[in-house]
């Protein structure tokens, strides 16, 4: 029941992870479960690696299943959906299907596009913190999504594990790899540098925003959502607001 030009606009905005809608209330305008499910699916796919999809097209879908980064991206999304569903159901007494519907849309959205299907500003603090974390993580390397990227998160975790193991046993050699390829120390240094600079920019930006009168949490959320190209945040620029109130 959506006009062709409107469907094209939202489709391009979804795959490009732009989040631009022709309506002020974003995808809430449609109040359509099929529309939300299709959009959520393609937002999730847009957060995956397009080079991986090409290899899957050539060599078969098993390539996707064997890919460490995509599997991690999938489990992060599923885990976040389940946790937010439970949180909404327990804290706000939302029926489980409605909670699942809202979570299944907003989790891939705030990892990629920034489309809005529910007013997540009213959600419990735990759910909002989880959404904020997803904004920082973003999608996979080679996707149209922004953020730190899942591959870097994997390498950071594996490097931290290697450091701990080597401290416990100095003679132990721990190899760090991703997708079957060895990752050298120079690459790990670049990943660590990127991670540091990403959070340093968020901190500086949030500090400057507090000078404009924003509350600390709102300022951090605005800094994270702007550096991650998401769009909506919390507080003064929440799901149902725009950036117009800012000076």
């Amino acid at each position: 029941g959506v006009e062709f030009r409107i469907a094209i606009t939202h489709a391009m905005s979804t795959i490009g992870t732009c989040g631009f809608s022709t309506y002020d209330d974003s995808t809430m305008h449609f109040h359509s479960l099929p529309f939300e499910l299709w959009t959520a699916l393609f937002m999730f796919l847009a957060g995956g690696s397009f080079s991986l999809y090409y290899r899957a097209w050539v060599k078969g879908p098993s390539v996707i299943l064997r890919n460490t980064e995509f599997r991690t991206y999938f489990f992060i999304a599923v885990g976040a959906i389940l946790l937010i569903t439970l949180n909404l159901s327990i804290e706000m007494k939302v029926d489980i299907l409605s909670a699942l519907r809202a979570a299944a849309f907003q989790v891939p959205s705030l990892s990629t596009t920034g489309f809005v299907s529910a007013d997540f500003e009213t959600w419990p603090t735990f759910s909002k913190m989880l959404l904020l974390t997803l904004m920082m993580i973003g999608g996979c390397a080679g996707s149209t999504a922004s953020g730190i990227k899942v591959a870097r998160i994997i390498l950071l975790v594996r490097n931290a594990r290697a450091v701990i193991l080597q401290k416990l046993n100095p003679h132990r050699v721990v190899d760090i790899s991703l997708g079957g390829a060895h990752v050298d120390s120079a690459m790990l240094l670049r990943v660590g540098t990127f991670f540091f600079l990403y959070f340093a920019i968020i901190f500086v930006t949030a500090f400057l925003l507090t000078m404009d009168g924003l509350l600390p949490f709102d300022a951090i959320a605005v800094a994270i959502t702007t550096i991650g190209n998401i769009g909506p945040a919390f507080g003064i620029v929440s799901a149902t607001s725009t950036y117009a109130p800012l000076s």
Side-chain angles (χ1 to χ4, degrees):
V2 180
E3 288 184 36
F4 182 72
R5 65 180 181 83
I6 296 173
I8 288 293
T9 300
H10 285 80
M12 293 176 67
S13 189
T14 300
I15 296 301
T17 62
C18 305
F20 172 76
S21 174
T22 49
Y23 299 101
D24 290 338
D25 52 355
S26 194
T27 56
M28 285 190 289
H29 175 86
F30 300 102
H31 298 291
S32 169
L33 178 60
F35 183 90
E36 290 176 20
L37 291 177
W38 279 113
T39 307
L41 172 62
F42 285 106
M43 285 190 297
F44 174 77
L45 293 175
S49 170
F50 282 76
S51 61
L52 176 65
Y53 297 150
Y54 175 75
R55 293 200 302 273
W57 177 268
V58 175
K59 299 180 180 179
S62 61
V63 173
I64 295 177
L65 300 176
R66 292 196 304 267
N67 186 268
T68 303
E69 184 183 24
F70 190 87
R71 289 203 312 269
T72 305
Y73 171 61
F74 175 80
F75 286 121
I76 288 173
V78 171
I81 289 171
L82 293 177
L83 288 172
I84 291 175
T85 300
L86 288 173
N87 191 224
L88 294 179
S89 179
I90 295 170
E91 294 291 330
M92 298 182 65
K93 309 304 179 186
V94 179
D95 69 270
I96 198 75
L97 290 179
S98 297
L100 180 61
R101 173 179 174 177
F105 186 91
Q106 289 307 153
V107 164
S109 174
L110 294 187
S111 299
T112 55
T113 66
F115 275 137
V116 174
S117 69
D119 185 7
F120 49 79
E121 176 65 24
T122 62
W123 290 5
T125 304
F126 174 79
S127 291
K128 291 197 284 189
M129 286 301 296
L130 201 50
L131 292 176
L132 204 62
T133 303
L134 294 172
M135 290 180 190
M136 288 188 286
I137 294 174
C140 298
S143 70
T144 54
S146 299
I148 296 172
K149 299 296 177 66
V150 176
R152 290 192 181 98
I153 298 296
I154 294 171
L155 290 177
L156 284 168
V157 171
R158 290 184 175 179
N159 189 39
R161 174 180 173 272
V163 169
I164 292 170
L165 291 175
Q166 287 173 337
K167 289 295 182 182
L168 294 173
N169 185 357
H171 299 292
R172 181 169 182 172
V173 177
V174 182
D175 180 64
I176 299 175
S177 62
L178 182 64
H182 172 73
V183 180
D184 59 25
S185 57
M187 174 62 75
L188 293 173
L189 178 62
R190 288 197 294 271
V191 170
T193 303
F194 178 93
F195 190 75
F196 171 79
L197 289 175
Y198 197 91
F199 277 91
I201 292 170
I202 289 173
F203 175 80
V204 172
T205 305
F207 181 78
L208 293 173
L209 286 168
T210 59
M211 296 172 64
D212 197 34
L214 269 70
L215 295 172
F217 181 78
D218 294 357
I220 292 170
V222 172
I224 289 172
T225 194
T226 48
I227 195 174
N229 295 334
I230 302 300
F234 301 102
I236 197 170
V237 290
S238 63
T240 56
S241 305
T242 66
Y243 284 73
L246 297 176
S247 69

